[in-house]
Amino acid sequence: MKSVVVHVGGSLVVEEKPAPEIQHPDDVLVKIAYSGLCGSDIPRIFSQGAHFYPITLGHEFSGEVVECGRNVNDLAAGDTVACVPLQPCFTCPECQRYAFSQCKYYQFIGSRSGGGHAEYLAVRRTSLFKLPKGTSLLQGAFLEPITVSLHALKLAGGCEGKEVIVIGAGTIGQLAIQCANALGAKTVTAIDINPQRLQLAQETGASFVYNSGEMSPEEIAKDLHPRRFDQLILETAGTPQTVTLALEIAGPHAQVALVGTLHKDLTLTAATFGHILRKELTLLGSWMNYSAPWPGSEWQQAATLFQQKKLQLEPLIASIGDAQTFADSVNALAGQPMQGKILLNMTES
């Protein structure tokens, strides 16, 4: 089978690999349809950030069931599924309290083990979400990143009637904007330094946009002043500057959900830290996208939003193609962020 393999030094190469087989009675063999590149994959490729090399990445994928182990009785050949990449142990104290994302003994598809940038993959049944009728395989490849934003909204008690502000209009941010609109936000505001991303945010539902590379935090906060109450701020960019910005523009009693992963140290000035105290802000850490019952209501909610035709995917896709096209598109990044989702299409392989 074809597999897109990452080697030491940051190059993706299409290679022929043996097709996987079912090894465990709880295994399911999946023929991959679509598999997306995640922003977290970029340091694994270009900054020696993977757990081992060579590795086949890919934790945002969909596919069709080919074969099931003898213990799997709720899936059958031909069913369509999406990847649920976290593999918690389900037995530790954290898992027993349904804090699956805090499992100390977890594995992760496409990171700690091989992933979906290949023609086939064998995974445990718990690593698959059965797609409801009417959900396409392309939509299935977006379920995982959608549930990241839905998990943050869930931790915040929902977004209905709130002034939602999304800082960082990459893929996660764009999906968060659409989800907030669909789930009853009063208004949705997008903040980024990229004019193209802000334009896209306007086209897909943002009521207001601000370029934080051109406006100071004080100028943004002044413009937000009429909408300063009942704010829910989602920080999705994962930089020290955007975390600081979230605290500086927040209104009284705002919720600030930290979704983006920092790769550099964060240092807050006394004045910035003072915003947390003086405005009585609520800080929420949001890690991954799971709850009980496994894998969580976020996954069904994402599928429901698709069924209701509330989400647009096409504007978010930068590139979609076969294994070689995918490898070429990722190699061309040279370590820089994606300007839209890069997808591997295995449907014609």
Side-chain angles (χ1 to χ4, degrees):
M1 69 168 187
K2 286 185 173 60
S3 181
V4 182
V5 182
V6 182
H7 290 272
V8 174
S11 65
L12 269 71
V13 181
V14 180
E15 299 179 1
E16 287 292 332
K17 296 286 186 181
E21 297 180 350
I22 287 179
Q23 302 289 334
H24 189 277
D26 293 327
D27 281 353
V28 178
L29 180 63
V30 179
K31 185 182 188 304
I32 306 300
Y34 298 95
S35 187
L37 183 74
C38 177
S40 66
D41 289 331
I42 294 176
R44 295 183 181 117
I45 298 167
F46 297 104
S47 301
Q48 306 297 315
H51 288 279
F52 58 90
Y53 294 94
I55 184 173
T56 297
L57 300 174
H59 62 267
E60 301 177 0
F61 68 79
S62 64
E64 183 175 304
V65 173
V66 176
E67 182 184 357
C68 298
R70 66 177 181 272
N71 287 353
V72 179
N73 53 28
D74 60 343
L75 285 177
D79 286 341
T80 55
V81 293
C83 177
V84 180
L86 181 68
Q87 297 178 307
C89 72
F90 293 110
T91 59
C92 70
E94 283 76 10
C95 286
Q96 289 296 301
R97 289 175 174 263
Y98 310 124
F100 302 116
S101 297
Q102 282 76 56
C103 175
K104 301 295 191 297
Y105 309 104
Y106 76 94
Q107 294 296 314
F108 200 91
I109 294 171
S111 168
R112 294 170 182 258
S113 63
H117 295 344
E119 286 187 73
Y120 294 91
L121 188 66
V123 298
R124 295 292 169 88
R125 170 64 184 92
T126 52
S127 295
L128 297 172
F129 177 83
K130 184 177 180 180
L131 296 179
K133 185 177 181 179
T135 306
S136 72
L137 285 163
L138 181 61
Q139 291 170 338
F142 277 85
L143 275 189
E144 197 277 341
I146 291 169
T147 56
V148 170
S149 58
L150 289 176
H151 185 63
L153 294 176
K154 179 175 181 173
L155 292 174
C159 63
E160 187 172 358
K162 295 179 182 178
E163 308 279 0
V164 175
I165 301 168
V166 179
I167 301 179
T171 299
I172 297 296
Q174 297 284 354
L175 292 169
I177 290 165
Q178 294 190 45
C179 288
N181 262 320
L183 297 173
K186 187 175 181 181
T187 64
V188 181
T189 296
I191 300 176
D192 202 287
I193 59 174
N194 184 309
Q196 288 74 33
R197 287 181 172 182
L198 292 175
Q199 176 64 36
L200 178 58
Q202 282 186 304
E203 294 171 0
T204 57
S207 308
F208 306 92
V209 297
Y210 300 102
N211 189 321
S212 56
E214 299 175 353
M215 297 177 68
S216 69
E218 293 77 16
E219 290 172 323
I220 296 174
K222 182 178 180 180
D223 206 72
L224 287 171
H225 190 71
R227 303 180 299 282
R228 66 191 181 279
F229 296 114
D230 303 313
Q231 286 182 352
L232 168 55
I233 301 175
L234 300 179
E235 194 290 313
T236 70
T239 71
Q241 295 90 338
T242 49
V243 172
T244 299
L245 177 64
L247 301 176
E248 291 176 336
I249 67 172
H253 297 177
Q255 295 173 294
V256 180
L258 304 176
V259 180
T261 301
L262 287 177
H263 296 286
K264 295 181 180 179
D265 290 343
L266 169 66
T267 301
L268 299 179
T269 65
T272 300
F273 179 80
H275 289 299
I276 302 173
L277 307 183
R278 292 175 180 272
K279 298 175 185 176
E280 298 187 339
L281 304 180
T282 298
L283 300 186
L284 299 169
S286 182
W287 185 241
M288 293 196 275
N289 40 353
Y290 305 96
S291 59
W294 177 261
S297 61
E298 299 91 327
W299 293 77
Q300 184 56 55
Q301 187 177 39
T304 299
L305 290 175
F306 278 131
Q307 291 174 318
Q308 296 173 341
K309 304 186 185 304
K310 295 290 183 68
L311 303 177
Q312 302 179 58
L313 298 183
E314 287 74 13
L316 308 184
I317 298 172
S319 169
I320 183 168
D322 62 13
Q324 191 58 58
T325 300
F326 176 79
D328 292 342
S329 297
V330 177
N331 285 329
L333 291 175
Q336 296 303 305
M338 290 183 289
Q339 299 303 316
K341 182 63 71 177
I342 297 175
L343 281 166
L344 169 63
N345 180 0
M346 283 291 192
T347 60
E348 297 179 1
S349 63

